[in-house]
Amino acid sequence: MDLEKSPAERPAVPAEGCLTVAIRLPVRIVVLVLVVPVRMLWDALVVGGRFLRDTVLRPVGRVLQWVAWAVFVWPWVTLWRYAVVPVGKALAWLGYVSLVVPAVWMYETVLTPVGHALAWVARGVGAGFAWVLRGLGVGFAWVLRGIGAVLAWVYARVLTPVGRAVAWLLGGLGIGFGAVALGVYRVVAWLVRHLIVVPALWLYEWILAPVGRAIAWAARGLGWLVRMIFTGIGAALYWTLRVLLVLPALALWRWVLVPVGRVLAVVAREVGDALGHAWRVAGHLSLAVGRFLGRLFRWIFVEPVRWVYRSVLTPVGHLVRDTVLRPAAEAARGVGRVTRQALAAARESARQTRADIRRMLFGTPREPERVPLAKDRREPGAVGTRTLGSSTTALTKD
């Protein structure tokens, strides 16, 4: 089995010129020497910034957030919860007692009967007006019928003969006027044809048309002459500009700017590759230096501090927790429990007192009436059941 690829299967690598190979090594050496301190300084700044963020800025931000909440938010929340809400509830209850309850009583006991009475009176007055209007309508109908009969007689006996006579007279006058107008039209048409149209046609065919053709031929010749003059001037300017400007600029571009641009492109590409390579190498070096410094810091500071925390501070903290903090927490929980029970008893007493006062002022609320179910509405009960001997309708009920 052949592990190497054949020359046909190998990927084509672009050939590099001698200029590229000559520029690459010195550029990479110089860039590496310049980039390594910058990368190490950058990594040091990044590590310092992360340490500062985790150890200083984030705790300070949390403390400032807590202080801002305690100074700006908590007083307004307390004021809303323990002052504004109870006062609002008291005002709502007072408004309900002083406005809504009297208004409902006034509506149910005064306004509703008065409205029913006014509606009954309005229905009676409306029925009377309707009866009067019906009688007036019948009278007006009889009057209009008589007027219509009189107008029909006048139309048939007077207006129709007069209209026929006027139409016959107007027809005769129209025939006479039509004959006169036809004669006048023919005379005017003959005069216009022989005095205007025939001279105008002769003038157009024998004078205007030849003169126009001559003017058009002269204009075409003048246009051709002007076009040839401008074409010659344009060709002269074109070749002058081409020889004096275009050909020197093309030679400068082809033989000077293009080679210089290619060299600068090779240099820029190699500098960019060298910067990337040097940045990666400097990153590896900075990582190795950082790991060494981290281990050194761990051996000098972290391990002793960890040993002190595990061997000294942890037992002392457990002792303080078991002997001081837990008894204090139990006592605080007991005080809180007693306080909550006292507050619950006080709230229950206040609730009972409000219920007693409401019962003394407004009485016991009425029990809601029971709404019959659908099956109760569909069929009558046992007492009012339908039988063959009695009827259940309103007209024939016994």
Side-chain angles (χ1 to χ4, degrees):
M1 182 177 178
D2 189 6
L3 298 179
E4 295 183 357
K5 295 183 179 180
S6 60
E9 297 178 356
R10 293 176 183 173
V13 179
E16 297 179 350
C18 59
L19 181 62
T20 303
V21 177
I23 291 175
R24 178 175 299 168
L25 187 59
V27 168
R28 289 196 174 186
I29 292 173
V30 174
V31 170
L32 180 62
V33 172
L34 295 176
V35 168
V36 168
V38 177
R39 180 60 187 266
M40 295 185 68
L41 179 62
W42 174 258
D43 291 338
L45 291 176
V46 170
V47 173
R50 291 178 180 175
F51 177 77
L52 183 64
R53 182 195 63 186
D54 296 334
T55 57
V56 178
L57 297 179
R58 187 172 292 173
V60 170
R62 291 177 180 174
V63 171
L64 291 177
Q65 181 181 1
W66 183 83
V67 169
W69 186 87
V71 173
F72 296 104
V73 179
W74 183 77
W76 294 105
V77 172
T78 305
L79 180 64
W80 172 263
R81 184 177 297 173
Y82 298 104
V84 176
V85 173
V87 170
K89 291 182 178 179
L91 292 176
W93 181 81
L94 182 62
Y96 176 79
V97 171
S98 60
L99 297 177
V100 177
V101 174
V104 171
W105 178 83
M106 178 68 70
Y107 174 77
E108 292 180 351
T109 58
V110 178
L111 297 179
T112 300
V114 171
H116 289 316
L118 292 177
W120 182 80
V121 171
R123 283 197 297 270
V125 172
F129 274 113
W131 183 79
V132 172
L133 291 176
R134 187 179 299 173
L136 291 176
V138 172
F140 277 117
W142 281 101
V143 172
L144 292 176
R145 188 177 298 174
I147 294 172
V150 172
L151 292 176
W153 182 85
V154 170
Y155 175 77
R157 301 298 180 181
V158 178
L159 296 179
T160 300
V162 172
R164 289 175 180 175
V166 171
W168 180 78
L169 180 60
L170 292 177
L173 293 176
I175 293 171
F177 279 117
V180 174
L182 181 60
V184 172
Y185 170 74
R186 288 180 178 178
V187 171
V188 171
W190 184 84
L191 292 175
V192 168
R193 177 178 178 83
H194 288 83
L195 294 179
I196 297 175
V197 176
V198 173
L201 288 175
W202 181 83
L203 179 65
Y204 173 77
E205 291 178 356
W206 298 102
I207 297 175
L208 296 180
V211 172
R213 292 191 185 98
I215 293 173
W217 181 80
R220 283 197 297 269
L222 182 61
W224 177 82
L225 180 60
V226 172
R227 185 169 62 251
M228 293 303 295
I229 292 172
F230 279 103
T231 302
I233 295 172
L237 291 176
Y238 169 74
W239 283 106
T240 303
L241 293 176
R242 181 178 177 84
V243 172
L244 295 178
L245 297 177
V246 176
L247 293 179
L250 183 62
L252 179 64
W253 170 262
R254 183 176 297 174
W255 302 106
V256 178
L257 295 179
V258 171
V260 173
R262 289 178 180 174
V263 173
L264 292 178
V266 172
V267 173
R269 185 175 66 248
E270 291 301 325
V271 170
D273 295 339
L275 284 174
H277 182 72
W279 187 262
R280 290 191 294 272
V281 172
H284 290 293
L285 294 177
S286 177
L287 181 62
V289 173
R291 287 179 178 176
F292 173 74
L293 294 177
R295 289 187 179 181
L296 186 63
F297 179 77
R298 180 179 179 182
W299 293 339
I300 295 175
F301 294 102
V302 177
E303 292 297 335
V305 172
R306 181 181 295 177
W307 180 84
V308 170
Y309 176 77
R310 289 181 178 179
S311 303
V312 179
L313 297 179
T314 301
V316 173
H318 290 173
L319 180 63
V320 172
R321 181 191 61 187
D322 296 335
T323 58
V324 178
L325 298 179
R326 283 185 177 175
E330 291 294 335
R333 282 195 291 271
V335 172
R337 190 180 303 110
V338 171
T339 304
R340 286 194 298 273
Q341 292 176 358
L343 291 176
R347 284 195 297 270
E348 186 64 27
S349 300
R351 189 181 299 110
Q352 294 294 333
T353 302
R354 288 197 302 270
D356 294 338
I357 292 172
R358 190 183 302 111
R359 193 179 301 109
M360 286 188 298
L361 292 176
F362 305 106
T364 305
R366 295 183 300 176
E367 293 292 335
E369 298 181 359
R370 178 179 176 273
V371 179
L373 300 176
K375 61 181 181 179
D376 298 335
R377 292 196 297 268
R378 285 199 303 268
E379 296 294 337
V383 178
T385 54
R386 297 177 181 176
T387 59
L388 296 176
S390 62
S391 177
T392 58
T393 62
L395 297 177
T396 60
K397 187 178 293 185
D398 295 338

